[in-house]
Structures are given as C-alpha cells and as structure tokens.
Amino acid sequence: MTLDARGDLVALFRAIVDIESVSGNERELADQIERELRGCAHLSVLRDGDTVIARTALGRPERVVIAGHLDTVPLAGNLPSWREGDLIYGRGSCDMKGGVAVMLAAAVALEAPSSDLTWIFYDHEEVESAANSLTRIAATRPELLAGDFAVLMEPTSARVEGGCQGTLRFSVTTTGRAAHSARAWMGHNAIHDATDVLARLAAHVPEQPEVDGLRYHEGLNAVAIEGGIAGNVIPDRCTITVNYRFAPHRSVEEAQQYCREVLDGYELTFTDAAAGARPGLDRPAAAAFLAAVGGEPSAKFGWTDVARFSALGIPAVNFGPGDPSKAHADDEFCPVSDLVTCHDAVLRWLS
Ligand SMILES: [Zn+2]
C-alpha cells in the first residue's frame, strides 16, 4: 500500500486505513507520510519517534497547528477497508484516519498558506497518557507545538467542537466507631453519616457556564461508595468517590476549591485531575476558521488532546470527519461527504 497525497482523496483515505497502525505499530504509516511530506519544498519535516511534524516558515503573523494521531485501537476483523454507498468502513476509518487523510492532502496542497502551519502526525494516542508522543514532545521540544490556534482533527461529524471540559476525582471518608450491631448505641454509624454528603451532591445544581461564547454543562456526581465490614458490625468508615466534570473557565485548583465549598466541613482527598481547554474562538485565527467552516460551534464535554495545547497556552478546537459515537466501534466508518467537507473547509480557510 503506497500513499499518494496528491491523488484522489478517497483513495488516499482508504490507503491510510489499510496500513494497519494499532498503537505501537505506527512506523510504516509514519514512514509513508514522512516520505510524502519530504517531497514538498514548502515544508520542513522532522521525525521524533513515530511522530512526523511538517512546518512552513513563511513569516506569517499567525501560526496554526493541525494535529491528528496515527494509531488505532486493536483490529476486530475490520481491515482492509470496504465501501457501502457513501460510507467507508474499517479500523481507524472514524478514529481518526479521515482526519489524517485530510491533513496529509492539505499539507501537500497548501504551498502558500495564509498562516504559517504546523502539521503534527503523532503516535500512541489510544493508550495511557504517558506513552502519548505529545506528552514527550511537550516536555522535550515544546517549541514544536507552539502556535496561536490549534485544530485537532478527531471525529466531530465535520462540526466545530470547542475546547473540552476538565475532570477530577476525589474521595470523602466519613468515620464512626465500630460496635456489634446488637449494641449499636455503643458505636457510631459512618454509613449513616455519608447521607449528608450524598444529600449535598444530590441537591447540587451543576453550572452551565458560557466560556468564550460556548455553553458548557458541568457535573458533580458520586461515582462509587464503599463501606461496611460485616452484617453484624456498625461500620466505622464509609468512602464516597466523586467525579467533577468542570467547564474550562476553571483551573484544576479552582475546580478543587469549588468542590471544597460544596462539601464544606469535609476533608477531600484528590486522586487525579486533568485540566480542560478554553475554546479560544475569540482569537483572529479562530474567527477565520469559523467563517470558512460555517455552522454553529458547540462545546466539547469529554476530555481530548486539545487540553494538551491549552496547557501550552494554545486555544484549540476539535474538527474532523466521522461520527464520534462510532469511534472504536467494530463497525466504525467515515462518510465520504464528511471527508470532502473537512478537506474543502481546511483549504478554504488556509488558502
Ligand atoms: Zn482519536
């Protein structure tokens, strides 16, 4: 399978899908993308592991970063690709080789773009965050990720999804005094004390803040509860695990403070957290992007790699072909119409 970035877009897409690249096995696809990009006089290309980065250096006032991952989740008997009407099926067709095909075709075609461009084709996204090559590059060569605005071409059904919500988890433990349940008055029931914590969470009305023009929807929920020793013992401990999904106007620290206020009087033990990302749709590069893409942008509720760019001070949006609800499904597919819409929008925006 040989890629031809200047040929037919659908043929390019299917060739990319047909080069199997389950996480850890991105080399061949990275090699072929690197070869196509090195054939372009307007791009300087570098390779870092199985990540390929191609940049223009035209002295434009703004730099736009467009990124997509090369890897897929494991196969499920769904390669090579096949076509049914307008839909191309196969592992990676939705998440996210349609975006990769659009990126490669546009990187090669845009010889004199209106903004300087950084194209990032990266590896190890579908695995733990520590293995993600963006984690490594952000730590070792952050200048390669620098820009004024970033687009992550993950599947969004060719709509703009801005930023992403942050997430954190914590536990609250109520403590009592163990006793035989036949003499309950000699103990103190920690599970009963958890009622107050649960009542506050149940009564809490999640905020729906507007951030940079997009409406987010937060959530503060108990997601696990643990307590009790035996059927005849008054429990002396009860631990409630809580997940807070927060809009990107709050930092992780501000989100933690918010939780402390809701559960004032309790000690919260924070276990993990990931910052959200502001959509940054008020930036000049973003305005030009929205004008070229059209449609109404919406907020992204889950966490995505746009937050990595946000952490570097770069506002970022998700925009790519494929229905996000089909990502990782055995019957994942990408409509050809999404592919064409995204390709045309990127060229219209950056020409
Ligand atoms: Zn993905």
Side-chain angles (χ1 to χ4, degrees):
M1 202 61 57
T2 306
L3 304 186
D4 175 11
R6 294 177 194 278
D8 174 66
L9 179 64
V10 176
L12 173 66
F13 170 51
R14 291 193 60 174
I16 289 172
V17 172
D18 289 342
I19 298 173
E20 181 262 294
S21 59
V22 175
S23 306
N25 200 23
E26 297 94 334
R27 178 145 305 157
E28 188 193 345
L29 181 55
D31 285 349
Q32 291 221 30
I33 287 172
E34 181 184 2
R35 194 202 60 230
E36 287 296 289
L37 295 170
R38 285 204 190 276
C40 299
H42 63 284
L43 294 173
S44 64
V45 179
L46 62 96
R47 175 86 173 240
D48 185 311
D50 283 330
T51 290
V52 183
I53 299 178
R55 294 158 56 93
T56 65
L58 300 163
R60 302 287 196 254
E62 285 193 310
R63 176 170 291 278
V64 169
V65 179
I66 303 184
H69 62 84
L70 300 177
D71 59 321
T72 70
V73 296
L75 305 190
N78 48 5
L79 280 187
S81 63
W82 71 99
R83 181 169 185 156
E84 293 176 22
D86 182 47
L87 309 180
I88 308 287
Y89 287 82
R91 176 57 78 221
S93 56
C94 173
D95 187 7
M96 57 161 284
K97 290 184 166 182
V100 170
V102 169
M103 286 171 60
L104 182 57
V108 167
L110 286 164
E111 292 182 9
S114 52
S115 298
D116 268 312
L117 302 178
T118 301
W119 303 95
I120 303 176
F121 300 86
Y122 63 104
D123 56 286
H124 285 88
E125 191 273 344
E126 300 287 8
V127 287
E128 70 280 6
S129 171
N132 187 317
S133 67
L134 289 185
T135 305
R136 178 182 72 247
I137 292 168
T140 58
R141 306 165 89 178
E143 69 280 2
L144 292 178
L145 307 184
D148 299 288
F149 180 61
V151 176
L152 206 64
M153 295 208 74
E154 290 274 4
T156 63
S157 293
R159 287 191 283 268
V160 179
E161 293 185 338
C164 72
Q165 295 205 132
T167 178
L168 64 77
R169 259 174 288 277
F170 63 88
S171 62
V172 187
T173 299
T174 53
T175 52
R177 194 170 57 253
H180 196 294
S181 59
R183 293 175 293 277
W185 60 89
M186 300 187 78
H188 183 94
N189 193 318
I191 290 180
H192 291 185
D193 282 354
T195 317
D196 175 51
V197 174
L198 295 174
R200 286 201 216 177
L201 293 172
H204 174 261
V205 178
E207 295 184 9
Q208 297 185 42
E210 195 175 290
V211 184
D212 297 349
L214 296 185
R215 174 83 51 201
Y216 287 83
H217 196 153
E218 300 195 328
L220 181 65
N221 287 281
V223 291
I225 187 163
E226 205 178 1
I229 300 155
N232 58 355
V233 178
I234 299 301
D236 64 348
R237 287 175 77 80
C238 179
T239 299
I240 300 161
T241 304
V242 181
N243 180 215
Y244 180 34
R245 297 281 173 157
F246 55 95
H249 64 312
R250 302 183 205 276
S251 65
V252 168
E253 292 69 29
E254 288 165 342
Q256 290 175 336
Q257 186 53 34
Y258 182 84
C259 295
R260 286 191 194 98
E261 285 162 19
V262 172
L263 292 171
D264 187 31
Y266 292 94
E267 192 180 328
L268 312 190
T269 304
F270 292 96
T271 47
D272 61 342
R278 295 186 76 104
L281 297 174
D282 47 354
R283 301 283 179 105
F289 171 67
L290 289 177
V293 168
E296 271 299 300
S298 58
K300 186 80 175 177
F301 298 122
W303 193 92
T304 77
D305 270 342
V306 297
R308 296 177 184 278
F309 288 97
S310 181
L312 296 169
I314 308 164
V317 301
N318 299 278
F319 172 71
D323 176 347
S325 67
K326 295 307 290 184
H328 302 184
D330 291 351
D331 64 343
E332 66 174 297
F333 60 82
C334 180
V336 169
S337 55
D338 275 13
L339 209 57
V340 172
T341 299
C342 291
H343 175 261
D344 290 358
V346 168
L347 289 191
R348 200 160 49 234
W349 170 37
L350 296 169
S351 288

